[in-house]
């Protein structure tokens, strides 16, 4: 597919529970009525990241036909689980209420994220299933950071997972002294109750340190009967750091950028607008 040109990009504040959260909204020149609305969460190993770091994936989602709400969610060593997750879940409910001004009353709502943002997106999908509101139409997990054990072969191949690794520090900051380090909302790889989740697109690459945990989670969802599309893109890509570097990709873009946009397009265009009868019965947790 050819990229749809970006028609608007603006910063805003959106309601999140009793407060507001900073967001950046991206819209592409889609001709599709009721275009999907995607809540996007950037990477940064739970300790860093800004709206600027979410630009690349947000733009690719918009170019694939979505209205994207990129979120400046709480990060840092003082934002221990479940602080950020609760704030984002409140924002997600705000998006349900305001989607008519973003796209349309029947627009499906999805969550997407890369690396630590992929963790939060997967957790939001679990929460949506457990809350039984049946409004989440899909989840897009891009090299998601799902397992705090840091013991996979792909992490070892990337020479990561040691005590000085950024993801080790990130998990320690996110979990803190929390006794719920194996809680499925904190570490989705730890849950065995995956039935009833929204359809998923799970993407990784040959050289992604999170490749093995992404593949394992996709397979576990498939075994639970979840509709899953799973792809490993060829490297080298430099994921996840390259996912947060839009300016360096101006002009000649690496092949993986086009391939990622194509996968996003295919997944988003298979999601129909919501109807009053859409959705299945929520599954018990």
């Amino acid at each position: 597919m050819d990229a749809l040109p970006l028609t608007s990009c603006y910063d805003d504040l959106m309601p999140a529970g009793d407060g507001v959260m900073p967001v950046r909204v991206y819209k592409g020149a889609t001709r599709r009525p009721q275009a999907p609305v995607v809540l996007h969460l950037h990477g940064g190993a739970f300790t860093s990241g800004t709206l600027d770091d979410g630009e690349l994936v947000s733009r690719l989602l918009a170019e694939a036909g979505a209205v994207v709400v990129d979120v400046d969610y709480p990060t840092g060593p003082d934002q221990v689980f479940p602080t950020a997750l609760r704030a984002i879940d409140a924002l997600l409910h705000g998006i349900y209420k305001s989607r008519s001004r973003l796209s349309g009353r029947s627009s499906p709502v999805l969550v997407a994220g890369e690396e630590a943002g992929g963790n939060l997106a997967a957790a939001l999908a679990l929460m949506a299933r457990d809350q039984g509101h049946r409004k989440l139409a899909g989840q897009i997990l891009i090299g998601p950071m799902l397992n705090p054990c840091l013991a996979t072969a792909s992490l070892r191949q990337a020479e990561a997972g040691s005590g000085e690794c950024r993801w080790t520090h990130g998990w320690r900051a996110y979990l803190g002294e929390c006794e719920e380090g194996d809680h499925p909302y904190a570490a989705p790889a730890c849950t065995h109750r995956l039935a009833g989740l929204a359809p998923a697109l799970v993407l990784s690459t040959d050289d992604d340190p999170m490749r093995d945990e992404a593949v394992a989670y996709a397979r576990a969802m498939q075994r639970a009967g979840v509709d899953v599309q799973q792809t490993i893109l060829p490297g080298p890509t430099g994921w996840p750091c390259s996912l947060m570097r839009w300016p360096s990709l101006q002009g000649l873009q690496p092949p993986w950028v086009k391939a990622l946009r194509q996968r996003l397009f295919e997944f988003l265009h298979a999601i129909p607008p919501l109807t009053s009868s859409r959705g299945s019965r929520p599954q018990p947790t």
Side-chain angles (χ1 to χ4, degrees), residues 206-223:
D206 287 335
D207 58 336
D208 178 15
M210 306 319 147
R211 181 194 67 218
D212 290 352
E213 54 200 273
V215 171
Y217 193 64
R219 289 174 177 170
M221 285 193 290
Q222 287 173 328
R223 288 194 296 270

Side-chain angles (χ1 to χ4, degrees), residues 39-55 57-58 70-75 112-120 243-244:
L39 170 65
H40 172 248
L41 305 160
H42 60 72
F46 301 114
T47 59
S48 64
T50 66
L51 291 175
D52 290 340
D53 294 314
E55 181 179 7
V57 175
S58 293
D70 189 27
V71 186
D72 189 13
Y73 63 87
T75 60
E114 60 273 12
E115 199 229 31
N119 172 293
L120 295 166
L243 288 166
M244 296 181 281

Side-chain angles (χ1 to χ4, degrees), residues 12-248:
D12 200 356
L13 294 173
M14 294 195 70
D18 295 330
V20 294
M21 289 184 71
V23 302
R24 184 169 294 163
V25 180
Y26 296 78
K27 294 184 179 181
T30 179
R31 297 183 179 87
R32 180 183 179 185
Q34 313 291 341
V37 176
V38 179
L39 170 65
H40 172 248
L41 305 160
H42 60 72
F46 301 114
T47 59
S48 64
T50 66
L51 291 175
D52 290 340
D53 294 314
E55 181 179 7
L56 172 59
V57 175
S58 293
R59 281 181 175 267
L60 294 180
L61 285 162
E63 291 172 358
V67 175
V68 184
V69 180
D70 189 27
V71 186
D72 189 13
Y73 63 87
T75 60
D78 56 334
Q79 303 295 336
V80 177
F81 170 81
T83 303
L85 186 59
R86 284 177 175 168
I88 299 166
D89 184 54
L91 176 66
L92 180 59
H93 285 274
I95 288 175
Y96 290 145
K97 295 176 182 178
S98 60
R99 64 184 162 189
S100 357
R101 72 178 177 86
L102 291 167
S103 180
R105 289 184 60 187
S106 298
S107 294
V109 177
L110 299 86
V111 292
E114 60 273 12
E115 199 229 31
N119 172 293
L120 295 166
L124 286 171
L126 289 165
M127 292 176 71
R129 186 271 316 270
D130 296 344
Q131 292 166 359
H133 52 57
R134 299 184 294 174
K135 292 180 180 177
L136 195 63
Q139 53 179 317
I140 299 171
L141 312 180
I142 303 173
M145 189 174 166
L146 301 170
N147 193 335
C149 293
L150 299 171
T152 63
S154 58
L155 275 163
R156 290 195 301 272
Q157 290 167 5
E159 298 182 353
S162 68
E164 299 305 315
C165 153
R166 61 175 289 190
W167 298 294
T168 301
H169 288 297
W171 276 114
R172 287 174 180 167
Y174 187 55
L175 299 178
E177 301 297 325
C178 176
E179 295 181 357
E180 295 184 308
D182 60 350
H183 192 291
Y185 296 169
C190 294
T191 183
H192 299 290
R193 296 174 179 175
L194 296 168
L197 289 179
L201 173 65
V202 184
L203 297 164
S204 187
T205 68
D206 287 335
D207 58 336
D208 178 15
M210 306 319 147
R211 181 194 67 218
D212 290 352
E213 54 200 273
V215 171
Y217 193 64
R219 289 174 177 170
M221 285 193 290
Q222 287 173 328
R223 288 194 296 270
V226 179
D227 180 6
V228 180
Q229 297 178 32
Q230 188 259 318
T231 301
I232 297 178
L233 303 177
T237 64
W239 283 23
C241 295
S242 60
L243 288 166
M244 296 181 281
R245 287 201 299 260
W246 173 265
S248 66

